[in-house]
Amino acid sequence: MINDILNKSFNLDEDLSFDNLLKKKLETTGLTKTQFERLAGLQRRSLDGIIDKTSKQTDIVNLLKLGEFLGLNLEQTVLLHFKDRPSFEIKDLQNSMDITFINKYFDLKTLASLGFIDKKDSVEQLNERICEFFGLDSIYDYEQELGEALYSRTKRSFNDKMKDFWIKSSYKYFELIDNPNDYSREDLIDLIPKIKPYTQNVQDGLLTVFRALYNIGVTVVFQPMLPKTQIRGATFVINDKPCIVITDLNKNYATIWFALIHELHHVLFDLELLQKVKYHLTGEPDLFLIQEDKANQFASDYLISQEKMRYIEPLINNHLMVTRFAKDCQVHPSIIYSQFQFRQSEKGNNYWGAFKDYFPDVEMAKKNLYVSNWDAQSLEEASKNIKELLTI
C-alpha cells in the first residue's frame, strides 16, 4: 500500500500542490488565509508545515481538514501530502514497507537462532543480508522472482515461513550449483544396486555415493534439518535435472540412507510429474503426494528385504548375530535395527529408544558432507563449495 502511494505521488503533476490549490480556493470563497485558519481551527505554523512540506510530524487531523476544504478525497489528500516530501521521511516509509515485507515472509526469530541474521540487525542490514544471500537486486524479488519460479504452475504458497524459506533457498542453491553432467536414467538404474555397501562406511560412504550420483547428473546435497519443518528429504527438477536434498531429521544414520533411496525412487519413477510441479517434499504435508508408499517400500526392500528381516528379527537382541547378518547383507547394522523399530511400530510396539548404542553418530556421517548454507555469506558461495566437494 505504501509503495503504491509513493509511486503515485511521484507521478503527480508538478504544478499540483496544496499551496496552489489553497490560493485558488481562497480566491473563489472570498476568505483570507487567516479567516480559513480560524474557521478550521488550524494554527498558522501547522498549516504552513503541511503546505511547505516542513512538518516532521504532520497532524493527520489538520491534514484531513485541509483536504476537506480543498474538496479532495482521502487518497488525493494523502498523495498530495507525500508529493515532494523530504527524503528522510520517504526513507522512513520505505523502511516501514521493507520491515512489513520481511516480517511477512521471514521468521526472524528462527533465522537468528540459525545464525542467518543477527537479532540486533537494522532494517537496512536485514535487507542487505537477504539480497546478498539469495543474489537478489531487491528483497521484493524474493516473492516475485523466486515465487514465480516455484509456484507459477502449482499455484502453491505456504503460510509456514520457514518451509517457504527452505524451498526457495534450496531451489536457488541447485540453480547455482548447475550440475554440468547430463542426467541418465539408465546410468542411475545401473548405479543404484551398487549403493548399498557404502552404508557400512560411516565416515565416507555418503560422500562417495553423492559424488557418483553427481557424475550421472543427479545432484544430492545434505542439509541440517531446518527448525519448524519436518522435511526428511526433497526432490527438485531444475533445468530438467533431478536434485535431491537429504536432511538429518531425527538425527538417525539409517534414516539418512532410507531418505536417499526414497528420493531416488521419485527420480526414477516420478520425474515427469516432478517436472510439472517442480519439487516434492518428503515428511511434510504436500498437495502432490506422489507414490509415497511405493517410495517407502522401495527404500525398505532395497536396504533389507522383508524376508531377511523375518529371519533376523528373532535374533534382534543378539548384537553379534545382527552384525554378522548385516555384513552378509552388505548394510550397516543400524539399518536392520531401524527397520525392526519401524516394523514393530506398525504393530503398536514402541522400540524407538532401543539399540541406540548401535547407531553411528550422525555428526561423523555428515562431517564430510556438511556445507552449511544458512550462515554462508551467500548461496553462490555455498554452491561453489558444494560443487568442489562433489566434483571428482
Side-chain angles (χ1 to χ4, degrees):
M1 181 176 68
I2 293 176
N3 192 42
D4 289 340
I5 290 172
L6 293 178
N7 286 334
K8 289 179 181 178
S9 68
F10 293 151
N11 295 316
L12 290 177
D13 191 310
E14 291 184 6
D15 295 330
L16 192 61
S17 67
F18 281 134
D19 188 32
N20 290 338
L21 291 174
L22 182 60
K23 287 177 181 177
K24 291 178 181 178
K25 189 70 172 181
L26 292 176
E27 287 178 7
T28 58
T29 59
L31 294 173
T32 65
K33 189 175 182 181
T34 302
Q35 287 174 318
F36 164 65
E37 291 165 351
R38 179 174 58 79
L39 292 171
L42 287 166
Q43 294 184 354
R44 174 61 60 93
R45 184 162 58 178
S46 297
L47 181 60
D48 287 347
I50 295 172
I51 293 173
D52 300 336
K53 313 286 185 178
T54 56
S55 59
K56 291 185 178 180
Q57 295 292 334
T58 301
D59 188 315
I60 187 65
V61 174
N62 290 340
L63 180 64
L64 292 175
K65 286 180 179 179
L66 177 59
E68 183 73 17
F69 179 67
L70 297 176
L72 303 173
N73 61 33
L74 180 59
E75 181 180 357
Q76 291 169 328
T77 302
V78 172
L79 290 177
L80 203 53
H81 169 69
F82 283 112
K83 179 176 181 288
D84 300 326
R85 290 296 298 180
S87 59
F88 72 84
E89 185 173 344
I90 300 301
K91 187 175 184 299
D92 284 345
L93 282 171
Q94 185 65 51
N95 283 346
S96 174
M97 186 168 63
D98 288 351
I99 196 59
T100 298
F101 180 89
I102 291 170
N103 272 318
K104 180 178 180 181
Y105 289 103
F106 297 90
D107 184 335
L108 298 181
K109 183 178 180 180
T110 303
L111 291 175
S113 73
L114 290 170
F116 178 76
I117 58 171
D118 190 295
K119 61 182 179 180
K120 296 180 181 179
D121 281 347
S122 65
V123 178
E124 290 87 351
Q125 288 171 319
L126 291 172
N127 197 322
E128 182 180 344
R129 171 62 176 141
I130 293 166
C131 287
E132 183 178 19
F133 182 75
F134 284 98
L136 303 173
D137 294 327
S138 163
I139 56 170
Y140 301 98
D141 291 336
Y142 176 79
E143 181 55 21
Q144 294 169 4
E145 178 184 313
L146 290 176
E148 182 179 349
L150 282 161
Y151 307 134
S152 60
R153 292 187 185 179
T154 62
K155 305 299 182 185
R156 288 186 290 181
S157 61
F158 297 98
N159 293 324
D160 188 326
K161 300 176 188 178
M162 290 310 297
K163 183 161 67 174
D164 196 47
F165 175 84
W166 190 91
I167 292 168
K168 289 176 180 175
S169 60
S170 295
Y171 185 89
K172 185 75 173 181
Y173 195 28
F174 284 123
E175 270 194 326
L176 291 166
I177 292 171
D178 191 22
N179 190 334
N181 300 299
D182 293 332
Y183 167 63
S184 167
R185 187 174 189 272
E186 291 72 24
D187 287 344
L188 180 57
I189 291 171
D190 290 341
L191 179 62
I192 284 180
K194 303 171 185 176
I195 290 175
K196 185 161 58 173
Y198 289 94
T199 64
Q200 300 168 98
N201 185 341
V202 175
Q203 188 165 328
D204 298 314
L206 282 165
L207 178 57
T208 302
V209 172
F210 284 14
R211 283 173 170 170
L213 288 166
Y214 185 79
N215 199 45
I216 60 168
V218 182
T219 306
V220 185
V221 299
F222 174 87
Q223 289 183 2
M225 189 273 294
L226 200 61
K228 298 189 178 180
T229 69
Q230 292 295 312
I231 301 171
R232 186 180 70 196
T235 302
F236 293 75
V237 175
I238 299 170
N239 298 328
D240 293 323
K241 294 179 184 178
C243 303
I244 294 171
V245 184
I246 304 299
T247 78
D248 59 353
L249 181 68
N250 300 327
K251 311 296 181 184
N252 186 303
Y253 177 74
T255 300
I256 293 175
W257 284 102
F258 186 92
L260 174 61
I261 304 303
H262 176 105
E263 299 306 326
L264 287 176
H265 178 276
H266 288 317
V267 173
L268 281 173
F269 301 106
D270 302 316
L271 196 61
E272 186 176 343
L273 177 56
L274 282 165
Q275 286 173 328
K276 295 178 181 178
V277 300
K278 301 191 178 181
Y279 65 90
H280 170 70
L281 308 180
T282 299
E284 282 274 353
D286 197 321
L287 293 179
F288 296 87
L289 297 175
I290 46 179
Q291 303 191 56
E292 288 299 87
D293 291 341
K294 289 184 179 180
N296 283 335
Q297 194 62 54
F298 177 82
S300 180
D301 289 342
Y302 172 82
L303 292 168
I304 184 162
S305 69
Q306 294 187 39
E307 181 183 355
K308 290 179 179 179
M309 280 304 303
R310 283 193 294 269
Y311 170 81
I312 196 61
E313 278 184 347
L315 304 170
I316 199 69
N317 290 309
N318 187 327
H319 182 58
L320 181 60
M321 290 297 295
V322 171
T323 302
R324 288 177 177 174
F325 189 68
K327 187 175 182 180
D328 291 340
C329 296
Q330 295 188 302
V331 296
H332 191 277
S334 64
I335 289 175
I336 293 177
Y337 289 122
S338 179
Q339 286 296 303
F340 175 78
Q341 290 169 334
F342 177 75
R343 285 163 67 91
Q344 288 297 314
S345 71
E346 290 189 317
K347 299 175 183 178
N349 301 322
N350 186 347
Y351 279 82
W352 295 116
F355 317 113
K356 59 183 179 181
D357 292 339
Y358 305 132
F359 282 76
D361 185 354
V362 172
E363 295 302 317
M364 184 187 300
K366 69 184 187 183
K367 183 179 180 181
N368 293 331
L369 296 173
Y370 181 53
V371 182
S372 174
N373 45 353
W374 313 130
D375 57 0
Q377 194 71 18
S378 67
L379 284 173
E380 183 175 8
E381 175 189 285
S383 68
K384 287 178 181 178
N385 291 335
I386 197 69
K387 197 164 187 175
E388 289 176 6
L389 181 71
L390 296 177
T391 302
I392 301 174

